[in-house]
Amino acid sequence: MHKKAWCLWLFPLFLLVVQTHAQEVDCTVFVNYEGVATTNKELLHDFGADVRDYINTYKWGSEPLEEKVKCTMNIFISNVIGENRYSAQVFVGSSRQTFGTQKSSAVLRLFDETWEFTYVKNRPINHNPSTFNDLASFLDFYVYIVLGFDFDTYDNLGGSPLFQKAADIASLGRSSGQKGWQLTTGSFNRPQLIDEILNTKFEPVRSALYKYHFAGLDSLSLNPERAYGNILQAVESIGKAKRLVDPRNLFIKAFFETKYLELAELFASYPDQSVYITFGIIDPSHKTTYEEYRTKKNH
């Protein structure tokens, strides 16, 4: 079968499989509570296992599974702020396999600096989407963000229903008055992130996620020339969207924080090394990395 014809036949089947499996999660959870008192360390001993079990055993969707979405949650507990109450900083990351390879591509990397929650040892974490809970709702929010991003990489705007669930949680969180759930300027906050993701102004960015991954990375083994072209078009689309929105936006920043090193490595053997100049203009925060890869090729 002709390679192009095989690609056209295979991709819809691949998409169908992905859509039926990508609603469960395989999350690795790491908790660092070295900075708290010994008494509290004992109370937090099972916290990581409880979080992991909650995320990995809850059925986030009703479809049958063939493969789970990979994610990581690193929780750094910084302070004890009350009885069974803690403040923490959290890294959330996710990845997905690139079609036709054994390689994984990072899809999401976020660092949330403001989480306050209540955890009582031996008390189960319960999922209740209609009621805000400072522990469960935070976990639910980020699982839906992870799943939404995963869906968007396989189907144009396919993550919308999952992002809407995250938005509903953010709305409940905003009503709670707790830190991290309020719209603020100059810092990362959950409501701003999900508002941007669902804002129609950012639809070109979400469409670019699909083009970058599904029409780009997943096509590299089938049609490299077209795949590289799609990746470049995706980055340029994000650059165009960036010029039209508030430079303090979180969504586009998250894309480049996740992808800058992958982009630099992807184009290391690309014939036109001027792409690194383009990347540096669109993503000046990582211009040094792009320039290093460009000069490395030319020496």
Side-chain angles (χ1 to χ4, degrees):
M1 184 181 291
H2 190 276
K3 182 178 286 189
K4 181 178 179 181
W6 179 66
C7 176
L8 292 174
W9 168 82
L10 182 59
F11 271 24
L13 177 61
F14 179 50
L15 178 58
L16 177 63
V17 171
V18 167
Q19 287 179 320
T20 60
H21 79 235
Q23 288 184 286
E24 283 197 46
V25 179
D26 179 10
C27 190
T28 301
V29 177
F30 171 79
V31 178
N32 184 322
Y33 47 77
E34 291 303 311
V36 303
T38 302
T39 303
N40 295 105
K41 287 179 182 177
E42 183 62 30
L43 295 174
L44 290 165
H45 183 267
D46 298 326
F47 177 63
D50 288 346
V51 170
R52 182 192 65 235
D53 292 345
Y54 173 73
I55 293 174
N56 291 347
T57 60
Y58 183 75
K59 305 297 182 184
W60 301 98
S62 59
E63 301 293 341
L65 281 188
E66 293 187 20
E67 185 180 324
K68 296 183 179 182
V69 177
K70 302 288 186 182
C71 81
T72 300
M73 187 172 287
N74 293 343
I75 303 169
F76 304 90
I77 298 178
S78 51
N79 287 299
V80 180
I81 56 176
E83 185 176 359
N84 297 315
R85 283 192 55 75
Y86 307 90
S87 64
Q89 298 178 323
V90 185
F91 166 81
V92 179
S94 69
S95 63
R96 51 91 119 194
Q97 191 169 330
T98 301
F99 181 67
T101 75
Q102 297 300 313
K103 296 179 180 179
S104 291
S105 173
V107 175
L108 182 66
R109 294 176 63 89
L110 295 172
F111 188 65
D112 191 318
E113 299 180 73
T114 313
W115 181 29
E116 295 184 353
F117 64 94
T118 303
Y119 170 74
V120 181
K121 188 176 181 179
N122 298 323
R123 180 185 294 177
I125 305 173
N126 295 315
H127 180 81
N128 186 343
S130 61
T131 302
F132 180 78
N133 175 279
D134 55 18
L135 174 54
S137 296
F138 179 92
L139 301 177
D140 294 352
F141 176 83
Y142 277 113
V143 170
Y144 286 128
I145 292 290
V146 164
L147 289 170
F149 270 87
D150 193 78
F151 265 58
D152 266 8
T153 68
Y154 292 109
D155 185 14
N156 189 30
L157 306 181
S160 293
L162 296 153
F163 287 136
Q164 186 56 57
K165 289 184 177 183
D168 293 341
I169 295 168
S171 180
L172 290 173
R174 199 176 307 180
S175 300
S176 75
Q178 291 197 21
K179 290 182 180 179
W181 295 104
Q182 310 308 309
L183 277 171
T184 58
T185 57
S187 62
F188 180 91
N189 62 91
R190 289 152 230 145
Q192 180 183 342
L193 175 66
I194 193 59
D195 285 354
E196 289 178 359
I197 290 172
L198 289 174
N199 192 315
T200 54
K201 291 191 301 185
F202 288 88
E203 281 190 2
V205 181
R206 291 181 58 196
S207 295
L209 286 176
Y210 168 72
K211 177 168 279 191
Y212 181 101
H213 291 91
F214 194 75
L217 293 182
D218 289 333
S219 300
L220 280 171
S221 62
L222 301 170
N223 190 328
E225 183 178 356
R226 178 180 295 178
Y228 277 113
N230 285 331
I231 292 170
L232 287 172
Q233 287 176 23
V235 174
E236 289 166 357
S237 294
I238 294 173
K240 183 178 180 181
K242 185 179 179 182
R243 293 193 294 271
L244 302 176
V245 299
D246 190 324
R248 295 169 298 181
N249 71 83
L250 300 177
F251 186 19
I252 294 175
K253 180 181 178 181
F255 173 83
F256 286 111
E257 287 294 329
T258 303
K259 291 296 187 182
Y260 79 94
L261 192 56
E262 180 177 81
L263 268 175
E265 293 174 349
L266 270 175
F267 286 85
S269 58
Y270 193 70
D272 183 5
Q273 292 292 287
S274 68
V275 294
Y276 288 114
I277 298 174
T278 301
F279 295 158
I281 293 171
I282 296 172
D283 177 28
S285 295
H286 302 108
K287 184 176 180 179
T288 301
T289 298
Y290 300 133
E291 189 62 20
E292 286 175 358
Y293 273 77
R294 188 182 71 83
T295 55
K296 187 187 304 182
K297 174 72 174 182
N298 293 331
H299 285 83

